[in-house]
Amino acid sequence: MTDYPRPPFPPQAQPVPGSQQQMQPQPDCGERSYTGSGRLANKIALITGADSGIGRAVAIAFAREGADVAIAYLDEHEDARETARWVEAAGRQCLLLPGDLAQQSVCQDVVERTVAQFGRIDVLVNNAAYQMTYYELEDISDEEWLKTFDINITAIFRLCKAALPHMAPGSSIINTSSINSDTPKPTLLAYATTKGAIANFSAGLAQLLGKRGIRVNSVAPGPIWTPLIVSTMPEEQVSHFGENTPLGRPGQPVEVAPIYVLLASDEASYISGTRYGVTGGKPIL
Ligand code: NAD
Ligand code: MG
């Protein structure tokens, strides 16, 4: 309860998609804290948005549990190299896949390159996302709305479809939703709507893929200290981020990763169609 930083945080703002290197305090993605125990031995995982934040913590945890990982991300090459460094330090391979997942061809390409390198996909973690703060409905342009949907939900549909032929029975799909999926923050209207869609899509897809032995779940984090926050929220919200949770602070990415490890592992063989909250005490509906 006392290990991690509490608000107020220093004022800071960054352009989208944000650089983890430049955050104060630095997020904890498990670089020096996550201990693995072989729970994902020799699995192959494709994780989107894994240069930084929750995705990086998942990549590090998966590697320390024995998985090789491919990580897709937009263009934060330095953050991505840092993730790769930790994956390789765990004795596992890391394939870096930059590109804009709003494009169908990029979704197809990241799957094809992962399969070319590793031969199959055992775990698909759809975690990349975009959000921006808007105070009025009229401030959200049509392009902005569609962009948010393309990155956050349409890419997930495309990645699942592209990956499926390479996923054997026993494989797992994990989609990052949000506490916004049922308690939407009004200033993140388009984002919150996509997060509701991700939770719903995951629950439906789990039912479609059950007969193929593939499990699908979503994770609904509360406030987590990542570049997404400092690059899309006003400075006063960043300073007090996570203060209104029962635990009084934002979560660190490393505190979210264990749920992804469980959902990816064979221990979760009967867990499918569910949304897991990691919210610092706020109930999800
Ligand atoms: P993050 O910024 O570290 O990760 C998001 C990543 O998405 C970025 O690193 C970026 O490379 C990638 N991305 C963005 N646009 C892209 C595009 N067009 N093409 C390819 N990649 C793109 O932030 P995070 O908070 O770790 O976000 C990870 C997930 O967690 C997201 O789905 C986010 O919605 C979800 N989430 C975060 C919070 C939070 O408080 N941080 C809360 C709930 C849910
Ligand atoms: Mg990033």
Side-chain angles (χ1 to χ4, degrees):
M1 292 301 110
T2 56
D3 276 358
Y4 294 113
R6 310 179 79 85
F9 301 115
Q12 55 201 296
Q14 291 191 33
V16 173
S19 155
Q20 180 151 324
Q21 280 197 342
Q22 288 166 40
M23 288 178 68
Q24 272 313 320
Q26 280 283 290
D28 182 349
C29 291
E31 291 90 341
R32 290 175 183 80
S33 52
Y34 187 90
T35 308
S37 53
R39 293 165 74 190
L40 305 177
N42 299 318
K43 288 191 189 287
I44 306 298
L46 168 57
I47 310 166
T48 70
D51 55 298
S52 55
I54 294 168
R56 177 191 290 181
V58 171
I60 292 173
F62 277 20
R64 291 189 188 168
E65 297 291 354
D68 292 321
V69 299
I71 72 172
Y73 62 99
L74 185 57
D75 60 5
E76 308 97 306
H77 303 296
E78 286 191 19
D79 279 348
R81 275 194 293 270
E82 179 70 3
T83 303
R85 200 168 71 76
W86 288 108
V87 167
E88 286 159 5
R92 306 308 308 190
Q93 290 186 61
C94 186
L95 177 66
L96 296 184
L97 302 167
D100 180 1
L101 291 169
Q103 296 175 36
Q104 201 276 343
S105 59
V106 174
C107 295
Q108 192 71 37
D109 193 54
V110 300
V111 168
E112 278 168 16
R113 290 174 62 193
T114 303
V115 173
Q117 174 84 13
F118 297 120
R120 63 177 196 281
I121 295 173
D122 300 313
V123 187
L124 172 62
V125 179
N126 291 304
N127 170 75
Y130 166 76
Q131 67 177 26
M132 191 45 71
T133 299
Y134 292 102
Y135 292 99
E136 299 297 340
L137 183 66
E138 292 83 351
D139 296 340
I140 307 172
S141 70
D142 212 60
E143 293 72 26
E144 177 73 4
W145 182 268
L146 292 173
K147 171 183 165 180
T148 310
F149 273 67
D150 283 349
I151 299 170
N152 293 10
I153 177 70
T154 305
I156 295 184
F157 158 73
R158 290 170 171 161
L159 286 160
C160 287
K161 206 169 150 184
L164 202 52
H166 309 286
M167 300 184 81
S171 298
S172 167
I173 297 173
I174 307 165
N175 300 321
T176 305
S177 175
S178 167
I179 192 167
N180 277 287
S181 58
D182 61 25
T183 47
K185 188 174 166 71
T187 50
L188 295 176
L189 192 69
Y191 169 84
T193 306
T194 65
K195 291 294 165 178
I198 292 166
N200 191 286
F201 172 83
S202 305
L205 189 65
Q207 297 176 69
L208 265 188
L209 298 188
K211 60 180 179 294
R212 294 158 78 156
I214 297 174
R215 298 179 294 101
V216 187
N217 294 284
S218 62
V219 179
I224 309 298
W225 186 245
T226 72
L228 181 74
I229 302 311
V230 299
S231 64
T232 65
M233 287 187 179
E235 281 191 292
E236 66 277 12
Q237 286 186 32
V238 172
S239 286
H240 295 281
F241 191 62
E243 205 167 66
N244 67 352
T245 63
L247 293 183
R249 63 169 178 87
Q252 295 295 322
V254 68
E255 299 180 280
V256 190
I259 290 295
Y260 290 77
V261 171
L262 170 67
L263 294 174
S265 76
D266 296 341
E267 297 157 52
S269 51
Y270 202 62
I271 304 177
S272 190
T274 294
R275 185 178 52 133
Y276 272 78
V278 187
T279 62
K282 282 217 169 163
I284 57 170
L285 304 178

